Amino acid sequence: MPYPRLIINLNEIYLNALKLQKMCEENNIELVGVTKLTLGDPKIALVLKKAGIKKLGDSRLKNIKKLVENNIPGPFQLLRIPMISELEEAVIYADEILVSEEKTALIIDKIAQKYDKNVQLILMIDVGDLREGIWYEEAPQKILKLHQKLKFANIRGIGTNLGCFGGVLPTVKNMNLMIEIKDYLEEKLDKQLIVSGGNTAALNLLEEKKLPKGIYQYRIGEALLLGTDATGHRDIPYLSQNTLLLEAEIIEVDYKSSVPIGEIGRDAMGRIPHFEDKGWRKRVILAIGEQDILPNGLKSLDPTLEVLHASSDHTIVDITDSTTNYDVGDVIKFRISYGCALRAFTSPFVEKIYI
Ligand SMILES: *Cc1c(COP(=O)(O)O)cnc(C)c1O
């Protein structure tokens, strides 16, 4: 059996999807199931659809195309504000597109007209996280101006992204700001708009029933696929974290010094490594590396193991404190973080196994 491998538990993902879909439904929230972590994996996407999630979202058009080609029913939302060079395909494959640039929106409008497609636009607003979006102070006027110029594409609502670049948390305060802008625009445009308010990091507002009144959309990936919230730094208590399991094989077992011998330069990734002198330690090398995982995102199921470091193809784990007698050829199992899962799904060297 080939290693390393990622064991994907479709049933646990299904149960997470079922819970989140129900929770959103009860709160009048449209849930978009985000598949980008999985590179638009059709099997996982199908599970999300089966759990009742109506719309799927992905940041990469290539992933959406893959879902379409694998007969996964839409509608699809394109999450990353698109490149001009991909707009033709974006209009063909996506039904709803997040945008922040007038220039992009106007080209979408033209292409939508050409294909006679009723494309929905969500205008992104930056309320402080400093990733995409029109700066909130300028957003109302810019959106009104854009609305006048659009002939075909429809502004369905406004959106924001939080917790991704600046790590800014979704709060009642920044949600209220979104609602204020939405109310202003609704009055000026005389139509109802939605607030595409959040990702996994915004779930706590929903849990604590703190969301200001309005019609929302939540775009969720991490919580569905991992049951965690990286921005809030927590396991989500009502979701399963047993969705993904990474297995890697041991290729060397030996006792070595915990401090390298010789002059220290930088490591393979250009970092200056740091070592604590613990004397001689029993360590294993796993046949997996930075190309496939993030070493600090590996959480061993054996809590006595300590992941020390990784280079592109090797990961070193200290096993001195374990009661298990690990040998060459044995396999070590890990739960993984969002960042680590992103690498594992992306790496062609990690076998994907569905159970
Ligand atoms: C990735 C992404 C999401 C989903 O975020 P999670 O933290 O995985 O829930 C939502 N919106 C946008 C724009 C994204 O790029």
Side-chain angles (χ1 to χ4, degrees):
M1 203 159 328
Y3 288 96
R5 54 187 211 172
L6 184 65
I7 313 284
I8 302 161
N9 191 319
L10 293 174
N11 193 46
E12 295 289 304
I13 294 173
Y14 173 75
L15 294 174
N16 280 354
L18 216 52
K19 281 206 183 111
L20 284 173
Q21 174 60 28
K22 181 158 172 275
M23 199 170 128
C24 285
E25 234 168 70
E26 284 168 0
N27 289 277
N28 235 327
I29 296 173
E30 178 192 28
L31 174 60
V32 178
V34 174
T35 53
K36 69 186 182 205
L37 177 70
T38 72
L39 315 190
D41 185 309
K43 288 195 187 70
I44 296 175
L46 197 60
V47 161
L48 301 183
K49 293 292 285 192
K50 278 199 177 135
I53 298 178
K54 292 187 186 70
K55 191 176 280 178
L56 297 176
D58 206 293
S59 49
R60 312 281 174 140
L61 201 49
K62 220 172 170 175
N63 291 343
I64 293 181
K65 213 169 152 180
K66 178 162 139 192
L67 292 171
V68 170
E69 282 163 1
N70 281 277
N71 301 316
I72 303 298
F76 297 103
Q77 183 185 61
L78 181 59
L79 292 170
R80 185 173 63 190
I81 51 172
M83 298 180 267
I84 300 278
S85 59
E86 68 183 350
L87 289 182
E88 186 98 13
E89 287 208 314
V91 169
I92 294 174
Y93 289 103
D95 306 280
E96 193 166 287
I97 304 178
L98 309 186
V99 285
S100 66
E101 290 282 353
E102 180 183 288
K103 181 175 172 182
T104 310
L106 292 177
I107 300 176
I108 292 173
D109 194 44
K110 276 215 188 79
I111 302 172
Q113 193 158 17
K114 177 171 134 192
Y115 287 97
D116 193 20
K117 185 162 173 180
N118 180 23
V119 176
Q120 303 297 315
L121 300 178
I122 306 277
L123 270 296
M124 295 302 279
I125 299 177
D126 187 345
V127 294
D129 192 54
L130 305 184
R131 205 176 75 179
E132 77 275 42
I134 308 167
W135 191 248
Y136 68 92
E137 288 164 312
E138 297 162 359
Q141 296 318 316
K142 282 194 172 168
I143 293 171
L144 286 181
K145 203 173 112 209
L146 173 66
H147 182 264
Q148 287 183 337
K149 293 187 186 173
L150 289 176
K151 296 198 184 75
F152 211 81
N154 176 47
I155 297 181
R156 179 165 181 240
I158 56 173
T160 194
N161 197 69
L162 288 156
C164 278
F165 176 77
V168 173
L169 296 169
T171 56
V172 175
K173 196 166 169 222
N174 49 39
M175 282 301 152
N176 267 325
L177 184 55
M178 289 296 288
I179 293 290
E180 245 176 70
I181 297 172
K182 181 208 65 137
D183 287 346
Y184 173 84
L185 289 172
E186 278 184 341
E187 201 198 302
K188 291 279 179 195
L189 301 178
D190 194 26
K191 68 181 226 170
Q192 202 175 55
L193 298 171
I194 64 154
V195 175
S196 187
N199 49 9
T200 294
L203 276 175
N204 67 327
L205 291 178
L206 184 55
E207 291 161 17
E208 293 162 19
K209 309 231 172 281
K210 282 186 182 161
L211 264 185
K213 233 174 108 55
I215 300 169
Y216 290 90
Q217 176 185 72
Y218 264 40
R219 314 174 305 260
I220 303 274
E222 183 186 358
L224 288 167
L225 301 164
L226 288 159
T228 57
D229 166 10
T231 305
H233 199 64
R234 62 178 183 138
D235 285 349
I236 299 171
Y238 49 92
L239 297 179
S240 164
Q241 288 80 42
N242 299 320
T243 46
L244 302 176
L245 192 69
L246 186 82
E247 301 184 341
E249 185 177 332
I250 298 171
I251 51 175
E252 182 186 293
V253 186
D254 206 356
Y255 286 88
K256 287 189 186 174
S257 162
S258 45
V259 179
I261 315 286
E263 265 179 70
I264 304 292
R266 295 195 179 233
D267 74 359
M269 301 290 141
R271 302 165 294 211
I272 299 176
H274 180 78
F275 299 94
E276 192 187 334
D277 191 353
K278 293 184 182 171
W280 285 73
R281 305 288 291 179
K282 191 174 187 187
R283 327 155 339 136
V284 300
I285 299 179
L286 298 172
I288 196 165
E290 289 274 0
Q291 197 161 18
D292 323 288
I293 48 109
L294 271 183
N296 62 14
L298 292 173
K299 282 161 272 184
S300 167
L301 296 195
D302 176 345
T304 63
L305 303 192
E306 188 192 356
V307 177
L308 296 175
H309 205 61
S311 53
S312 27
D313 317 304
H314 303 74
T315 299
I316 320 280
V317 182
D318 186 322
I319 59 163
T320 316
D321 298 331
S322 179
T323 51
T324 307
N325 198 14
Y326 292 102
D327 199 359
V328 172
D330 287 351
V331 165
I332 296 185
K333 300 179 183 189
F334 300 93
R335 264 187 57 195
I336 50 180
S337 70
Y338 183 84
C340 191
L342 189 61
R343 286 224 179 139
F345 270 108
T346 308
S347 170
F349 304 103
V350 177
E351 204 73 26
K352 279 75 181 178
I353 311 278
Y354 304 85
I355 59 167

